[in-house]
Amino acid sequence: MQERLQKLTSMPVSVIWHENKTTYLSVKKERGKLFLRLHRLFFNAPTPVLEALIRYAMNRDDSARIVIKQMAHLHFSQTTVEADPLNPVGKVYNLQEIFNQVQEILPVTKVSIGWSNRSRQGSFRSITFGTFDKHRRQIRINSILDTDQVPLYFLKFIVYHEMLHAVCPTKMDATGRCLIHTAEFRRREKEFPQFEEAKEWEKKSLTFFKKRKSHGRP
Ligand SMILES: [Zn+2]
């Protein structure tokens, strides 16, 4: 592989492989040598992708960047990894029961669900109510919602939204940007029976959640 890359440039190339998916490519040019840290996904990459790697590494070529991102997108959308089990049983709500109810209007396969304990640091402006991890096919719901002050239909809506991520594929636009909430996604999101009520409740409740969060009681 290193030899295949080396053939594409006159600059000496040194490659280190890794499995860290957040930075699948990093480049350093030092003392006339090109140092690449590459994710394993590029290990058997076809030549046009290798050319793109080199073009990007040498002069930050934009079209090369898109090819690389597309390759990574393709790879990560096809791989699933072994997942730790999640706990769906909360103090008030059982997410598995809610999930099963939503399944009747939105069937998904091989998806698990549970409460997330990790209270994310960050601004109070945005609260992540739920996430869908497509590699583990897991939905995590913020335990801030595990209270009887949250109506069932709202929690159902959050679960529905995350389940929709399991059936609505992400798209990549012409600039290589990944679109998660596509037009198709937004259209189907509105099909949730209590969509308007849920959105309305979300607006009203945001102040309440921000207070709880800032007091550190998730
Ligand atoms: Zn979303």
Side-chain angles (χ1 to χ4, degrees), residues 161-162 165 180-181 185-186:
H161 177 104
E162 299 311 329
H165 279 303
I180 303 166
H181 300 118
F185 186 98
R186 290 302 184 199

Side-chain angles (χ1 to χ4, degrees), residues 21 81-84 112 133-138 140:
K21 71 176 185 189
V81 289
E82 204 58 45
D84 291 332
S112 61
D133 179 335
K134 65 181 174 183
H135 309 294
R136 293 177 178 79
R137 294 191 68 78
Q138 285 184 329
R140 285 192 190 81

Side-chain angles (χ1 to χ4, degrees), residues 103-189:
Q103 278 271 33
E104 286 168 27
I105 51 168
L106 183 70
V108 297
T109 47
K110 290 195 213 115
V111 172
S112 61
I113 189 164
W115 291 105
S116 159
N117 314 311
R118 272 179 295 167
S119 54
R120 279 160 194 260
Q121 299 285 322
S123 79
F124 299 141
R125 280 170 182 282
S126 69
I127 297 165
T128 310
F129 289 130
T131 56
F132 174 63
D133 179 335
K134 65 181 174 183
H135 309 294
R136 293 177 178 79
R137 294 191 68 78
Q138 285 184 329
I139 293 170
R140 285 192 190 81
I141 302 296
N142 192 327
S143 47
I144 201 169
L145 297 177
D146 188 23
T147 158
D148 51 20
Q149 280 165 288
V150 170
L152 176 62
Y153 68 82
F154 181 69
L155 190 51
K156 250 189 193 170
F157 172 66
I158 298 300
V159 171
Y160 178 88
H161 177 104
E162 299 311 329
M163 286 166 77
L164 207 46
H165 279 303
V167 290
C168 264
T170 55
K171 289 211 171 81
M172 190 165 274
D173 70 7
T175 64
R177 211 160 40 111
C178 198
L179 299 172
I180 303 166
H181 300 118
T182 57
E184 156 86 355
F185 186 98
R186 290 302 184 199
R187 188 186 59 74
R188 294 188 64 178
E189 190 184 30

